Amino acid sequence: MDSIQMSHLRLLFVVFSSFLAATIGDDSTDSYWLLRVKSELTDPAGVLENWSAKVHICSWNGLTCSDDQAHILGLNLSGSGLSGSLSHEFGHLTSLEILDLSSNSLTGSIPPELGQLQNLQILLLFTNYLSGKIPAEIGLLKKLQVLKIGNNLLTGEITPTIGNLTELRVLALAYSQFNGSIPIGIGNLKHLIFLDLQNNSLSGLIPEEIHGCEELENFAASNNQLQGDIPSSMGLLKSLKILNLANNSLSGSIPVALSRLSNLTYLNLLGNELSGEIPSELNQLVQLETLDLSENNLSGAISLLNSQLKNLESLVLSNNALTGSIPGNFCLRNSNLQQLLLARNKLSGKFPLELLNCSSLQQLDLSDNRFEGELPSLLDKLQNLKDLALNNNSFIGALPREIGNMSNLENLFLFHNLITGEIPMEIGKLQMLSVISLYENQMSGQIPIELTNCTNLTAIDFFGNHFTGSIPATSGRLKNLFRLHLRQNYLSGPIPPSLGYCKRLQFLALADNKLSGSLPPTFRFLSELSLVTLYNNSFEGPLPTSLFLLKSLKIINFSHNRFNGTIFPLSGSNALTVLDLTNNSFSGPIPTTLAMSRNLSRIRLAQNHFIGNISSIFGHLTELKFLDLSFNDLSAGLPPELSNCRKLEHLLLNNNQFTGTMPPWLGSLQELGELDLSSNQFYGTVPAELGNCSRLLKLSFQSNNLSGEIPPEIGNLTSLNVLALQRNKISGSIPSTIQQCKKLYELRFSENFLTGSIPSELGSLTELQVILDLSKNHFIGEIPSSLGNLVKLERLNLSSNQLQGEIPSSLGELTSLHMLNLSNNHLQGQLPSTFSGFPLSSFLGNDRLCGPPLLSCSESVRQRKKELSNSEVVGIIVVIVFISTVICFVMLYIMLRIWCKWREVSISSADSGGTEKKREEGKWVYGDEKRRGEYWKVNSLSPVSSQDKRTSGIACIFQLKMDSEAM
């Protein structure tokens, strides 16, 4: 091969090598590093598909080359759907001036190698999922002018090296999770125009050094946790146009220095803790278009004059403590004011007529103040007004007819005032009207049929007035109606069938009126109806079966009407959350289709005529919180599947015919606050498992057939307010653990078989107020003096027991008592003097009690002595007769013995001579007895033989025996 050919080969190799280096690249070329960057990215949209050795690098998507195509100056892949992480290899692209990877789904951290891009002027990484901290190496980018890395998951403090970026003009770190304070070095950024730090967690003070940003035009740091005063040095930012410090915790007063910001067009300080008066110097901000100082603690009068702030379009001072009236020279000339929001202050006076000069006003909100007086008839001068909110004031008088001339009016809020009179028929001229809210006033008359001309109406709220007559028959013309609230008026008549043609209706509230008739069949067209409340009316008849087609129903309240028949038509919606049909005449079984609405939280079917049992399928209603089936004719036992309803807070099954034992699974319903199974036919014992229901406030098992003892676990119910177990067959004593139920204010144990003494622990239940009823049991012993601690108690009933002893004096200190019954016990002693006001019946059946209202104790003693009871008299007579009889027989026995002895002596004397006879007579006769001795001698002496003597002795003994037996 000659030299010429060799030269050609060398030239071709050089050219090929250059081309290969330009396309494939080596570690000294941008293409090499970009291909490595690509390897760490996921590209579902194929944006990087032409990043290949087959294509010249300057043709790759998203790249901008230098003029000589030797270097990559720009990389823009914004919104390309990329994911993955930022490669550390970006640090090798040292020629880059622009790097834009914003609006992708990049994750991971910002690589510190980006600090090597010394030529970088624009870095855009916002709207990704980047995390971690801002690397300190960012401060090395001396040429950087735009840094936008917000709307990520970045955390930590803002690196202080940001202060080294002296060429920076835009710094956007918003919508991330930065914390700590704003770095002082921010004041070094003299060329900074745009500073956006909003929606982070920054705290601490706004640095005084902020005034170093001499060219700053936009400063937004809203929605952080900044504290302290607004620095007065901000008044030096002469170029500032937008200042947004809303929703922080800034305090102190509004610095007067802000009035030097002559170029300011937007000032937003809402949602802080600023106090003091609004500086009148703010009137110097003649370029101001928006001023929002709402939701602070500002006070004093409004000193801002719209006549000076000629460019002001929006003034928002709501939610402060401003007083006084609106300045009289408001909107005098050349006003551009479109929005004036002064709600929730303490402003007073009549409707400010000065506002009628603000002809450009579109939104006026004076709600929640203290304005009064009548609404001006010239209100229609506000021809451009779209929103008028005067609610929660004290306006009186009628709604002026001229309001019909406000042709642009869309929203009218006058609720909670003292407006009277009728709705003017001119209201029908407001073709743009969307919302009219007049609730809680004193308006009367009929709802004008002209209102249905306002076919753009989406919401009507007339709740709490005195409207009469019927609902307009032409209501169906309101095709856009979303909400109709007419509750608590005096409307009568039926629901107009045309209402069914308001097919967008979602909320219908007609409760608390005098409406009657049945539901119109046209209700089937209300396919979007979500809430319907008709309670407290006189509706009647069966429900249209077509209601089953309303699949969007969530809340139904037909309670306190006269509906009858089955409720099956109301069970067609699986979206039901609330069903209240209390106090109607519905009958039949409870449809199991209700259980298809798995989000049902409240079922109230009380005071109807439902029969059958509770289906086990209702155990699927795991969101159920309120179940009231009381006052029906339901029977059988409680299905154990109800134990799956673990969120139940109210279970009311009283006044039915349920049977069986109290199920222990009730103890698994630990959210229960109210459990009422009274007036049924339950038997067995009170389940000890109820002690697990620590949130119970009311437990009522009265009027059943329960037996056994009260379980000591009842003491675990420390939140209990009401405990009612009366009219059962419960026995045993009251457990001492009852003292743990410190919040009881009603305790009823009457008409049971409770025994033992009344526990003194009841005296520790100092919140007892409604009643303590232990009557008609078998309690013994004394009334514990500790009951005197129940100072709030209003009713105490201990009657019909076997209580003894005196009434404790401590009970006399229960000054709240207005009902007391201690009758039919064995109490004694003097009544406390404070008991004198109770009726006599409170103490009857205690024979040894005395004191007012009974007899005084001294009179009671005399009375008992003077007037013995029949039983006592009978007892005394029986005792006297018995004792007298015994004494007579004893005396008779003694006399018979004496007589027999005397006969023996007389016979013996006759046999032995006179001397013995005289001696024997002297033995028996003394004084007056001598004559009686002679009587005995005359009647007794007669001669007898020896045989007669023996016979006589035997006869005497026989006679004595006979007398003794007779006795």
Side-chain angles (χ1 to χ4, degrees):
M1 185 177 294
D2 57 22
S3 60
I4 297 175
Q5 290 177 324
M6 289 296 296
S7 298
H8 288 157
L9 286 173
R10 289 192 189 98
L11 180 61
L12 287 173
F13 178 77
V14 170
V15 172
F16 178 76
S17 298
S18 300
F19 176 76
L20 192 65
T23 54
I24 299 176
D26 54 29
D27 61 0
S28 64
T29 62
D30 292 343
S31 59
Y32 174 84
W33 299 113
L34 284 172
L35 289 174
R36 298 195 64 170
V37 167
K38 176 184 176 181
S39 66
E40 298 186 34
L41 296 174
T42 302
D43 179 24
V47 175
L48 305 180
E49 189 174 344
N50 71 338
W51 283 29
S52 154
K54 299 177 181 179
V55 181
H56 192 275
I57 187 173
C58 292
S59 300
W60 292 4
N61 287 337
L63 299 185
T64 302
C65 290
S66 60
D67 291 340
D68 60 2
Q69 298 188 346
H71 301 289
I72 303 302
L73 301 181
L75 173 58
N76 184 354
L77 295 173
S78 176
S80 298
L82 301 174
S83 58
S85 59
L86 288 175
S87 174
H88 295 269
E89 313 298 356
F90 271 113
H92 295 284
L93 304 174
T94 55
S95 299
L96 269 182
E97 297 177 357
I98 299 173
L99 176 57
D100 186 356
L101 295 173
S102 62
S103 302
N104 282 289
S105 299
L106 301 175
T107 56
S109 58
I110 299 174
E113 287 79 4
L114 290 184
Q116 301 172 18
L117 306 181
Q118 296 296 312
N119 292 305
L120 199 63
Q121 299 177 24
I122 299 175
L123 177 57
L124 307 177
L125 301 176
F126 62 89
T127 314
N128 278 286
Y129 297 99
L130 300 173
S131 57
K133 298 181 179 181
I134 301 175
E137 289 77 2
I138 286 289
L140 300 175
L141 303 176
K142 300 295 185 180
K143 296 182 179 180
L144 198 63
Q145 298 182 23
V146 178
L147 176 60
K148 299 177 73 173
I149 57 176
N151 200 14
N152 276 289
L153 304 175
L154 298 169
T155 57
E157 297 185 358
I158 299 172
T159 176
T161 60
I162 288 282
N164 299 332
L165 306 177
T166 54
E167 297 298 318
L168 203 62
R169 301 179 66 81
V170 175
L171 176 59
L173 307 178
Y175 296 96
S176 289
Q177 300 173 19
F178 294 117
N179 53 35
S181 58
I182 300 173
I184 294 175
I186 210 86
N188 299 332
L189 309 181
K190 296 183 178 181
H191 301 295
L192 196 63
I193 296 175
F194 185 93
L195 176 58
D196 191 356
L197 305 176
Q198 58 190 337
N199 289 85
N200 280 287
S201 299
L202 298 173
S203 58
L205 306 177
I206 299 174
E208 288 280 349
E209 291 78 3
I210 193 74
H211 72 273
C213 304
E214 298 173 354
E215 299 180 15
L216 194 62
E217 296 181 2
N218 188 327
F219 178 31
S222 60
N223 297 298
N224 280 285
Q225 300 167 22
L226 299 173
Q227 302 167 332
D229 294 347
I230 298 173
S232 297
S233 61
M234 295 191 72
L236 300 175
L237 301 174
K238 300 295 185 180
S239 299
L240 200 61
K241 296 180 179 179
I242 296 175
L243 176 58
N244 186 356
L245 302 176
N247 296 316
N248 281 283
S249 298
L250 299 170
S251 56
S253 58
I254 299 173
V256 175
L258 294 183
S259 63
R260 302 174 193 160
L261 304 177
S262 57
N263 291 305
L264 203 62
T265 61
Y266 180 93
L267 175 58
N268 191 345
L269 303 178
L270 82 87
N272 282 283
E273 299 171 10
L274 300 171
S275 57
E277 297 187 0
I278 301 172
S280 59
E281 289 81 358
L282 294 185
N283 285 307
Q284 300 172 22
L285 302 176
V286 293
Q287 301 297 324
L288 204 59
E289 297 175 359
T290 298
L291 175 60
D292 193 340
L293 306 179
S294 60
E295 297 182 34
N296 281 284
N297 300 316
L298 300 172
S299 57
I302 299 175
S303 56
L304 298 171
L305 304 177
N306 188 243
S307 57
Q308 293 177 249
L309 303 177
K310 296 178 181 179
N311 293 304
L312 194 63
E313 296 178 357
S314 176
L315 176 59
V316 185
L317 304 177
S318 305
N319 291 85
N320 279 288
L322 300 173
T323 56
S325 57
I326 295 175
N329 51 358
F330 216 72
C331 295
L332 285 183
R333 58 185 183 274
N334 300 324
S335 170
N336 291 312
L337 194 64
Q338 298 177 21
Q339 184 183 55
L340 177 60
L341 309 181
L342 305 178
R344 290 172 291 283
N345 278 285
K346 299 178 181 179
L347 300 171
S348 58
K350 295 185 177 181
F351 184 93
L353 297 178
E354 296 77 13
L355 293 182
L356 301 180
N357 297 320
C358 303
S359 57
S360 57
L361 263 182
Q362 296 182 17
Q363 291 180 303
L364 174 61
D365 189 352
L366 304 181
S367 61
D368 293 276
N369 278 285
R370 300 173 181 176
F371 292 111
E372 57 187 8
E374 296 185 358
L375 298 177
S377 58
L378 297 177
L379 200 59
D380 57 342
K381 289 181 65 176
L382 302 176
Q383 285 291 322
N384 293 304
L385 202 63
K386 295 181 179 180
D387 301 320
L388 176 60
L390 304 177
N391 49 283
N392 292 306
N393 280 286
S394 297
F395 290 115
I396 61 173
L399 191 61
R401 298 181 181 278
E402 289 78 5
I403 201 167
N405 299 327
M406 304 174 70
S407 56
N408 289 302
L409 196 62
E410 297 178 4
N411 298 298
L412 176 60
F413 299 102
L414 286 174
F415 60 87
H416 204 269
N417 277 284
L418 303 172
I419 304 294
T420 57
E422 300 182 357
I423 299 175
M425 63 179 65
E426 287 79 3
I427 203 83
K429 296 163 59 178
L430 302 178
Q431 295 297 307
M432 302 297 293
L433 193 62
S434 175
V435 176
I436 178 170
S437 184
L438 305 177
Y439 69 84
E440 290 184 336
N441 277 285
Q442 300 175 16
M443 303 187 74
S444 58
Q446 296 190 4
I447 299 174
I449 196 170
E450 289 80 6
L451 183 64
T452 62
N453 295 333
C454 305
T455 53
N456 282 314
L457 271 172
T458 60
I460 298 175
D461 195 339
F462 294 165
F463 158 73
N465 279 281
H466 306 298
F467 292 117
T468 57
S470 58
I471 300 172
T474 55
S475 297
R477 299 175 60 186
L478 304 177
K479 303 297 184 183
N480 297 307
L481 197 61
F482 171 86
R483 176 187 180 92
L484 178 59
H485 193 175
L486 304 178
R487 184 168 74 90
Q488 209 172 100
N489 280 282
Y490 298 98
L491 299 172
S492 58
I495 297 176
S498 70
L499 192 61
Y501 300 116
C502 300
K503 296 183 179 181
R504 295 186 180 179
L505 195 63
Q506 294 189 26
F507 299 92
L508 176 61
L510 305 179
D512 293 309
N513 277 286
K514 298 180 178 180
L515 298 169
S516 59
S518 58
L519 297 187
T522 53
F523 261 41
R524 68 182 182 274
F525 300 126
L526 301 177
S527 57
E528 297 184 20
L529 194 61
S530 174
L531 176 148
V532 53
T533 59
L534 306 178
Y535 58 88
N536 289 337
N537 278 287
S538 298
F539 292 115
E540 58 188 4
L543 301 174
T545 56
S546 58
L547 293 183
F548 192 83
L549 301 174
L550 304 183
K551 303 298 183 181
S552 299
L553 279 174
K554 292 182 179 180
I555 298 175
I556 302 174
N557 192 337
F558 289 178
S559 62
H560 303 282
N561 278 285
R562 301 171 188 170
F563 290 115
N564 56 41
T566 178
I567 65 170
F568 181 78
L570 298 178
S571 62
S573 171
N574 294 342
L576 271 180
T577 59
V578 175
L579 177 63
D580 191 344
L581 305 177
T582 305
N583 193 15
N584 278 281
S585 296
F586 290 115
S587 58
I590 300 172
T592 56
T593 46
L594 284 177
M596 301 301 292
S597 299
R598 297 300 173 85
N599 291 319
L600 258 173
S601 62
R602 296 172 69 88
I603 300 178
R604 305 194 66 176
L605 306 179
Q607 301 179 57
N608 280 283
H609 305 298
F610 292 111
I611 59 173
N613 60 354
I614 301 176
S615 173
S616 60
I617 198 172
F618 284 101
H620 296 159
L621 301 178
T622 55
E623 298 298 316
L624 198 60
K625 295 182 179 180
F626 203 121
L627 179 59
D628 185 0
L629 305 179
S630 58
F631 294 94
N632 278 287
D633 295 315
L634 298 169
S635 57
L638 302 184
E641 289 79 4
L642 279 183
S643 62
N644 297 326
C645 304
R646 296 299 177 90
K647 295 184 179 181
L648 263 177
E649 298 174 1
H650 304 266
L651 180 56
L652 310 178
L653 305 178
N654 52 292
N655 295 86
N656 277 283
Q657 300 178 31
F658 290 114
T659 59
T661 58
M662 290 286 183
W665 54 257
L666 287 172
S668 66
L669 304 179
Q670 297 187 17
E671 298 296 318
L672 272 181
E674 184 180 15
L675 176 60
D676 193 343
L677 304 182
S678 59
S679 298
N680 279 287
Q681 300 174 24
F682 291 110
Y683 54 85
T685 59
V686 176
E689 289 80 359
L690 283 174
N692 299 327
C693 302
S694 58
R695 297 188 179 185
L696 263 179
L697 301 177
K698 178 182 178 180
L699 177 60
S700 181
F701 289 167
Q702 68 186 61
S703 301
N704 279 284
N705 295 309
L706 299 176
S707 57
E709 298 186 357
I710 301 172
E713 288 81 1
I714 209 79
N716 296 339
L717 306 180
T718 54
S719 299
L720 205 59
N721 296 149
V722 177
L723 178 57
L725 302 179
Q726 70 269 31
R727 292 191 289 279
N728 279 286
K729 300 176 182 178
I730 298 173
S731 57
S733 58
I734 299 176
S736 60
T737 55
I738 195 75
Q739 65 181 314
Q740 297 166 204
C741 303
K742 299 292 186 183
K743 297 181 180 180
L744 272 174
Y745 66 80
E746 182 176 342
L747 180 58
R748 299 174 186 265
F749 286 164
S750 63
E751 297 184 58
N752 278 288
F753 298 110
L754 295 171
T755 56
S757 58
I758 297 175
S760 60
E761 289 84 356
L762 290 181
S764 65
L765 305 178
T766 53
E767 294 300 314
L768 274 176
Q769 178 177 347
V770 176
I771 192 170
L772 172 59
D773 190 353
L774 307 179
S775 62
K776 297 183 181 180
N777 279 285
H778 301 296
F779 291 114
I780 59 174
E782 297 184 351
I783 300 174
S785 61
S786 62
L787 295 188
N789 298 330
L790 309 180
V791 294
K792 298 180 180 180
L793 196 61
E794 297 175 354
R795 293 187 289 172
L796 175 62
N797 192 348
L798 305 179
S799 65
S800 300
N801 281 286
Q802 301 172 26
L803 300 173
Q804 301 172 343
E806 296 186 353
I807 298 173
S809 59
S810 60
L811 292 191
E813 299 175 7
L814 299 180
T815 55
S816 297
L817 274 183
H818 60 74
M819 191 285 282
L820 174 66
N821 194 348
L822 303 177
S823 63
N824 298 312
N825 280 286
H826 304 300
L827 301 172
Q828 62 183 22
Q830 184 170 358
L831 292 173
S833 59
T834 54
F835 283 4
S836 60
F838 292 110
L840 189 64
S841 59
S842 298
F843 311 105
L844 292 178
N846 295 280
D847 294 331
R848 293 187 176 273
L849 280 179
C850 60
L854 302 173
L855 293 174
S856 66
C857 292
S858 58
E859 290 178 355
S860 177
V861 172
R862 286 196 300 270
Q863 184 72 15
R864 283 200 299 271
K865 290 180 179 180
K866 182 177 179 181
E867 298 180 3
L868 298 175
S869 67
N870 293 336
S871 59
E872 289 175 327
V873 171
V874 171
I876 292 173
I877 292 174
V878 169
V879 170
I880 292 175
V881 170
F882 177 76
I883 293 175
S884 300
T885 304
V886 171
I887 292 174
C888 289
F889 276 104
V890 170
M891 292 298 295
L892 180 60
Y893 173 77
I894 293 173
M895 291 175 66
L896 286 172
R897 289 294 303 272
I898 294 173
W899 183 77
C900 290
K901 190 70 176 177
W902 180 80
R903 286 290 303 271
E904 291 177 1
V905 172
S906 299
I907 294 170
S908 177
S909 298
D911 290 342
S912 60
T915 306
E916 285 296 324
K917 178 179 179 181
K918 289 180 182 178
R919 189 180 297 120
E920 189 68 23
E921 288 175 354
K923 180 180 178 181
W924 288 97
V925 178
Y926 181 77
D928 292 337
E929 296 286 337
K930 184 175 182 179
R931 287 190 292 274
R932 283 180 291 188
E934 292 175 351
Y935 171 82
W936 282 99
K937 185 170 68 174
V938 171
N939 289 282
S940 300
L941 291 178
S942 61
V944 293
S945 64
S946 174
Q947 183 66 33
D948 292 337
K949 176 181 176 182
R950 288 193 298 272
T951 304
S952 175
I954 293 170
C956 183
I957 292 171
F958 177 77
Q959 185 63 43
L960 181 61
K961 181 178 180 182
M962 293 291 290
D963 292 341
S964 176
E965 288 175 354
M967 180 178 68

